């Protein structure tokens, strides 16, 4: 049995009681560590769960999924995901592989930013398409997320903007040369996201366009949610 | 301190470890019982939590919120909500009242159908406005949810349809006469929702319109998610 277990958004105690029971009895427990991060590290989780965790980075999940699924037909394997396992689609691939191999799976849901964002006071029913604001490079400066935000606004919908995370990424040079040297992890700040949005507004104004989001972007991009702060209980 | 605690979607074990710790030490614990239901009843929750729960129906939460908040400035009070506390906006009112009274509050998030619906395989980022399909009566047959579904479809977005729940509702007659006699609880089935959708398609065709959702409604309204089935661990 493969278990995909959501860890929620705060720290070790945000796992569900059901999830914790499963983690404690599985033969192998993987921690997915590239689409999101908790406020605490792997060691704190290991201490609270009472289990060693195997860190699964993007490379492993995408290229060595068979290792993760090994013997999962006869034993129990857990794959832990920050937030909810279906917050991102990255994990559907693992499920599809499991299904193909005849390995049964179960999902243990938890809060993700996709629903916890309701805590900001905006009505959750009225969010439109979710966008990812990606790190720009010198040669790659996509504006598609801005277009989606504009469309949501035209439809009277809010937009949840997810900010880019770069963990264990190779530089273009290292990628081309096949060198497994990784850049330090980067997490986009609200400031950086705001800066990119404002630059898009400026670009469009330079072309004589006035984006509907222009005034909004200037006034409100200062609003951003940090990772929900866990609190001691 | 007022704690709003999400219970998740399955049974007693879907509360988070943090949530359970808080429930066990609060001086009063309320269970909100009118916007959603778990697969298990109040008694099963009480047994697992080791606490007596006070059932809070719509009347109590909306009319006697002060009772719930009583002494919450000097003691700890928990308010349990199926799913996540912000899945519906109903609970914002309680928070606003608490804030007005100077009572601090904390939210302990959990999965709600707003994010767990990702388990159907559809990309969560691409859901548009969420709609509620309400029970029609003889004299009240709104079609606004259908219009929203049409709009989502035109925008290439999926629609999550929430099905109506009627718990502790009075008949119009009893309401007018001020008699506190309540109808038996009703939960809309996928079949009933599909029937209403199909009727709207027929209505519109009768007026010479062809709703974009017409063929979709006929082919696919059979798809519906039941309450996630909890499993023993």
């Amino acid at each position: 049995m493969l278990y995909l277990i959501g860890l929620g958004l705060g720290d070790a105690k945000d796992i569900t009681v059901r999830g914790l029971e499963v983690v404690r009895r599985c033969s192998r427990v993987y921690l997915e560590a590239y689409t999101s991060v908790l406020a605490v590290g792997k060691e704190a989780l290991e201490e609270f769960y009472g289990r060693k965790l195997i860190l699964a980075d993007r490379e492993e999940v995408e290229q060595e999924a068979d290792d993760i699924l090994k013997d999962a037909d006869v034993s129990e394997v857990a794959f832990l995901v920050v937030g909810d396992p279906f917050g991102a689609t990255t994990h559907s691939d693992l499920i599809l592989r499991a299904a193909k191999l005849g390995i049964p799976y179960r999902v243990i849901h938890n809060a993700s930013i996709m629903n916890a964002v309701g805590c900001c006071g905006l009505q959750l029913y009225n969010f439109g398409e979710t966008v990812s604001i990606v790190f720009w490079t010198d040669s790659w400066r996509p504006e598609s997320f801005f277009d989606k935000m504009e469309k949501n606004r035209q439809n009277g919908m809010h937009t949840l903007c997810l900010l880019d995370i770069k963990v264990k990424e190779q530089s273009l040079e290292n990628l081309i040369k096949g060198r497994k040297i990784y850049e330090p992890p980067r997490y986009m700040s609200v400031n950086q996201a705001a800066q990119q949005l404002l630059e898009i507004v400026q670009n469009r104004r330079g072309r004589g366009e006035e984006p509907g989001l222009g005034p909004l972007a200037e006034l409100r991009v200062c609003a951003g949610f940090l990772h929900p702060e866990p609190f001691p209980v």
Side-chain angles (χ1 to χ4, degrees), chain A:
Chain A
M1 177 74 78
L2 170 70
Y3 289 97
L4 288 105
I5 303 176
L7 298 185
L9 295 166
D11 64 22
K13 286 186 176 176
D14 287 305
I15 194 170
T16 65
V17 173
R18 182 189 308 282
L20 185 58
E21 284 184 9
V22 171
V23 164
R24 289 197 168 149
R25 67 154 198 253
C26 276
S27 54
R28 294 196 310 282
V29 184
Y30 293 89
L31 172 65
E32 186 270 291
Y34 62 90
T35 60
S36 194
V37 282
L38 278 182
V40 294
K42 174 170 166 272
E43 293 68 29
L45 296 182
E46 286 179 327
E47 196 186 326
F48 184 72
Y49 301 159
R51 290 298 311 266
K52 275 276 157 212
L53 303 181
I54 307 164
L55 219 56
D57 55 35
R58 186 183 293 269
E59 212 172 343
E60 170 141 301
V61 179
E62 290 179 0
Q63 293 168 24
E64 293 157 51
D66 292 344
D67 286 354
I68 295 174
L69 295 175
K70 201 178 156 204
D71 302 329
D73 49 342
V74 291
S75 64
E76 294 185 306
V77 174
F79 187 78
L80 310 185
V81 179
V82 173
D84 183 73
F86 291 104
T89 42
T90 331
H91 310 111
S92 311
D93 179 62
L94 195 61
I95 291 181
L96 291 175
R97 283 171 194 258
K100 216 170 168 181
L101 294 168
I103 296 167
Y105 73 91
R106 293 273 198 184
V107 176
I108 299 180
H109 289 288
N110 209 321
S112 69
I113 192 60
M114 301 294 289
N115 71 335
V117 67
C119 72
C120 71
L122 295 177
Q123 163 70 278
L124 213 49
Y125 299 178
N126 294 334
F127 276 77
E129 184 168 358
T130 301
V131 305
S132 293
I133 300 189
V134 293
F135 276 118
W136 277 352
T137 67
D138 289 340
S139 57
W140 190 64
R141 304 165 82 80
E143 300 190 354
S144 50
F145 52 83
F146 189 89
D147 296 323
K148 289 175 182 171
M149 291 169 74
E150 284 269 273
K151 192 169 176 192
N152 282 341
R153 188 180 160 278
Q154 281 157 16
N155 287 322
M157 308 294 279
H158 313 301
T159 305
L160 171 64
C161 301
L162 306 176
L163 308 191
D164 206 0
I165 288 182
K166 293 281 183 205
V167 179
K168 215 179 169 188
E169 298 275 328
Q170 289 162 281
S171 68
L172 190 61
E173 195 189 333
N174 286 328
L175 189 70
I176 290 169
K177 296 194 176 162
R179 291 190 299 220
K180 295 205 167 176
I181 301 169
Y182 303 100
E183 302 299 300
R186 289 188 300 154
Y187 307 96
M188 184 182 282
S189 68
V190 173
N191 265 1
Q192 287 172 298
Q195 220 158 0
Q196 291 189 185
L197 290 176
L198 288 173
E199 211 173 309
I200 295 173
V201 171
Q202 293 311 324
N203 288 347
R204 298 195 176 193
R205 284 192 179 147
R207 297 199 300 264
E209 299 165 25
E210 180 52 43
L213 270 175
L216 270 180
E218 279 159 5
L219 284 171
R220 300 196 193 162
V221 283
C222 50
F225 284 90
L226 293 176
H227 217 274
E229 176 203 1
F231 54 90
V233 293

